[in-house]
Amino acid sequence: MFRPRRSTWVAVFAATLVLAVTQVADAQRDEGRRGRGGPEGRRFGGFGSPMLRLAMNETVQEAIKLSDEQKSKIEALGDQYRGESRKLLDDGGNREAMQKLSEDTSAKLAEVLDDEQQKRLRGISIQWMGAGAILLDPALAEELKITDEQKAKLRDAFEANR
């Protein structure tokens, strides 16, 4: 009668473990692809207000020289954004409504900052997001005169690099 050696069982167990781990990793990677809106969704958390997230960072606040009053307004804006986005997500996550909320939040943030602070925050944002900034910031894309065809090529490049 054939009795497998202990090393055979260890090899079978190790192979099974490796297979299970790769299946879980593939499932997580595929889950990250669904419903997040392209390359910007994977890297930057999908819709949202990246400029607001940056403006809420203490280091960035120091770099753009925010006053205590501005910090308070930005914190309140962040709380408002989180509450409204959570409500939208609970209601099914309407993509257009989320985009509108993000745009409205960015406009409100621009009202809190002076021109120099906005310029500096935009520079920090571009450094942080890299080329993805063009896909996330319509104003930047417009300023740079990026065509829809160029945006599509950029999205394709992000997808290919992923």
Side-chain angles (χ1 to χ4, degrees):
M1 180 166 127
F2 174 71
R3 287 190 61 154
R5 292 185 185 170
R6 185 175 191 181
S7 60
T8 303
W9 285 113
V10 170
V12 168
F13 176 76
T16 304
L17 183 62
V18 167
L19 182 61
V21 169
T22 58
Q23 291 298 316
V24 169
D26 283 345
Q28 288 175 343
R29 186 181 72 233
D30 289 342
E31 181 63 29
R33 291 181 187 164
R34 285 196 282 275
R36 293 202 179 174
E40 60 272 19
R42 283 183 300 282
R43 183 165 178 201
F44 310 116
F47 286 110
S49 182
M51 297 291 271
L52 177 61
R53 284 191 304 242
L54 282 175
M56 293 177 73
N57 180 288
E58 287 183 36
T59 305
V60 173
Q61 289 177 347
E62 290 174 21
I64 63 175
K65 300 178 178 134
L66 290 182
S67 68
D68 289 339
E69 181 182 353
Q70 287 174 310
K71 290 177 186 177
S72 295
K73 288 180 180 179
I74 289 171
E75 185 66 34
L77 187 57
D79 291 342
Q80 178 185 0
Y81 176 81
R82 279 188 295 276
E84 290 179 27
S85 64
R86 192 169 293 128
K87 184 178 183 305
L88 286 172
L89 289 172
D90 289 344
D91 292 342
N94 181 316
R95 184 176 179 92
E96 290 79 24
M98 292 293 286
Q99 181 66 37
K100 173 106 173 76
L101 176 60
S102 180
E103 290 169 1
D104 291 346
T105 301
S106 292
K108 290 176 184 175
L109 177 62
E111 293 174 7
V112 173
L113 304 175
D114 65 32
D115 290 341
E116 192 60 36
Q117 289 169 325
Q118 288 181 44
K119 183 178 177 182
R120 180 68 180 117
L121 183 60
R122 181 177 296 245
I124 293 169
S125 170
I126 292 168
Q127 289 174 342
W128 177 63
M129 291 187 284
I134 294 169
L135 297 174
L136 284 173
D137 187 349
L140 176 61
E142 185 177 317
E143 184 179 323
L144 295 174
K145 297 179 180 18
I146 303 296
T147 66
D148 289 340
E149 182 181 335
Q150 290 170 320
K151 287 180 194 174
K153 287 181 180 178
L154 188 55
R155 278 190 196 93
D156 290 345
F158 271 111
E159 192 64 32
N161 286 326
R162 186 171 62 100

